[in-house]
Amino acid sequence: IPVQLGVTVEPDTVTVGQPFLVSVRVRAPQGATIEFPAAPDSGSPVEALDSRQIKDAGGQGTVDQVAVYRLVAWEVDSLRLGLGDVVVKTSAGERRVSLATSRVFVASVLPADSALRVPKPARDILVAGPPWWWPWLPILLAILALIGLLYWLWRRFGRRRAGEGEAELPPIQYAEREFDRIEALGLVEAGERGRFVALMVEVLRDYLARRVPDADASLTSTELLARLRGRPSVVPVDRLAPLLAESDLVKFARRAVSAERARAIGGDARAIVRDVEAKRAAEEAAAAAALAASEAAARVRRRSAPPRERNAA
């Protein structure tokens, strides 16, 4: 069977992943049937992007057909197209024409000296481990604990020494000194009226803690008033209760207070301290007078007693 075959590759030199066209033209006698090979399978170095297309070339007195393949190459070198045989059939028989010698050249896009570059070896898998500071953690915790202990000792013994120094002063002298110091700060004139009220009432509380038993400064206002209600002769609870209530609102509820009212609260705190001190002084004077009267009466009784009883006494 006389058969004419031609194969063209456009372009004849491609790069990896660049599509190209392969045209296979076959001319056979009149009445022959031409069977073109299927496109290359996927996964091979050269694979098809589209299905093949067959068209008639229009030869006179012959069968002239062209099959067009749109392919792509994935490796570098001169590669076979991977097309099978063309089968031409007539009444006299059939003929196979091989396309195994058809090739495409795939050029590399790497630099000319890429073969001289040796890639670095792969890095080892990173294993998650403890951070770098982990061995130093116990030492750091020990240092922080030591600093905390030293600070606690300093606060404790520093307060104790300060308390011992202040305990040398009588309560009334301590209170008067603190009242004068706070007023000298000029807090009311500076706009810090709430701080002025809090400091003045705190001095009052400290004075009561030093002068009146069970009137600890750590008590809340409610607890302090509950303990002082049984001693109205010592502390004017009716004046102290509204003063503590208003100062608590200023300290904890951020209640606004005017300059005149702040000075009035400070004056009431100082007046209560002086009132309590005066009552304590009167009670001490009365107790001393009673003791002196008792001793004088005892001396009179001893003088008026008979000699025998006097000698016995």
Side-chain angles (χ1 to χ4, degrees):
I1 303 175
V3 176
Q4 294 179 349
L5 183 140
V7 180
T8 58
V9 179
E10 297 178 359
D12 58 352
T13 301
V14 296
T15 58
V16 174
Q18 178 183 354
F20 61 93
L21 296 177
V22 177
S23 300
V24 180
R25 184 173 183 177
V26 178
R27 181 179 296 172
Q30 187 72 30
T33 302
I34 303 174
E35 295 181 0
F36 291 95
D41 296 333
S42 60
S44 60
V46 178
E47 64 180 13
L49 293 177
D50 302 319
S51 59
R52 69 184 180 186
Q53 297 181 3
I54 300 175
K55 56 186 178 179
D56 193 356
Q60 296 181 357
T62 60
V63 178
D64 194 352
Q65 293 181 345
V66 179
V68 180
Y69 301 86
R70 187 166 178 262
L71 309 178
V72 66
W74 300 112
E75 293 183 5
V76 176
D77 206 348
S78 178
L79 303 177
R80 292 183 178 181
L81 299 179
L83 298 175
D85 297 339
V86 177
V87 179
V88 180
K89 296 180 180 181
T90 64
S91 58
E94 67 177 28
R95 179 182 175 182
R96 289 180 173 270
V97 182
S98 176
L99 300 177
T101 59
S102 300
R103 292 175 175 271
V104 64
F105 183 75
V106 184
S108 175
V109 295
L110 297 177
D113 60 346
S114 62
L116 302 178
R117 299 181 181 179
V118 180
K120 295 181 179 180
R123 295 183 178 180
D124 296 335
I125 299 176
L126 295 177
V127 180
W132 62 269
W133 47 263
W134 182 257
W136 301 94
L137 183 60
I139 300 177
L140 179 61
L141 293 177
I143 294 175
L144 292 177
L146 180 60
I147 293 175
L149 178 61
L150 294 176
Y151 177 73
W152 178 79
L153 293 174
W154 175 76
R155 290 290 302 273
R156 181 175 181 180
F157 290 101
R159 288 183 175 182
R160 179 177 297 179
R161 288 194 297 269
E164 291 175 355
E166 293 177 354
E168 297 176 356
L169 290 176
I172 184 60
Q173 294 183 12
Y174 162 78
E176 293 290 352
R177 185 196 67 182
E178 292 300 307
F179 283 139
D180 294 338
R181 182 181 64 84
I182 295 171
E183 290 181 349
L185 294 176
L187 297 176
V188 177
E189 292 76 7
E192 298 187 17
R193 297 182 291 271
R195 184 183 177 189
F196 175 80
V197 170
L199 293 176
M200 295 294 282
V201 174
E202 184 178 355
V203 174
L204 169 61
R205 294 286 304 270
D206 291 341
Y207 168 80
L208 294 177
R210 295 168 183 268
R211 176 58 75 185
V212 181
D214 299 332
D216 299 334
S218 60
L219 298 175
T220 64
S221 298
T222 304
E223 294 172 343
L224 177 63
L225 293 173
R227 294 192 181 184
L228 295 179
R229 290 190 187 280
R231 302 174 184 178
S233 60
V234 178
V235 180
V237 180
D238 56 338
R239 294 165 53 194
L240 181 63
L243 181 66
L244 294 180
E246 187 172 1
S247 65
D248 288 344
L249 291 176
V250 173
K251 288 190 297 183
F252 304 116
R254 303 295 182 183
R255 180 178 179 180
V257 59
S258 63
E260 293 75 10
R261 184 54 190 163
R263 293 190 182 93
I265 294 175
D268 291 343
R270 187 188 289 265
I272 291 175
V273 168
R274 293 175 177 176
D275 191 8
V276 172
E277 188 66 23
K279 290 182 179 180
R280 295 285 301 184
E283 289 181 357
E284 292 176 358
L291 179 61
S294 177
E295 291 178 353
R299 287 195 299 269
V300 171
R301 285 195 300 270
R302 285 198 300 270
R303 291 175 183 175
S304 61
R308 183 179 299 176
E309 295 179 2
R310 190 185 310 166
N311 294 333

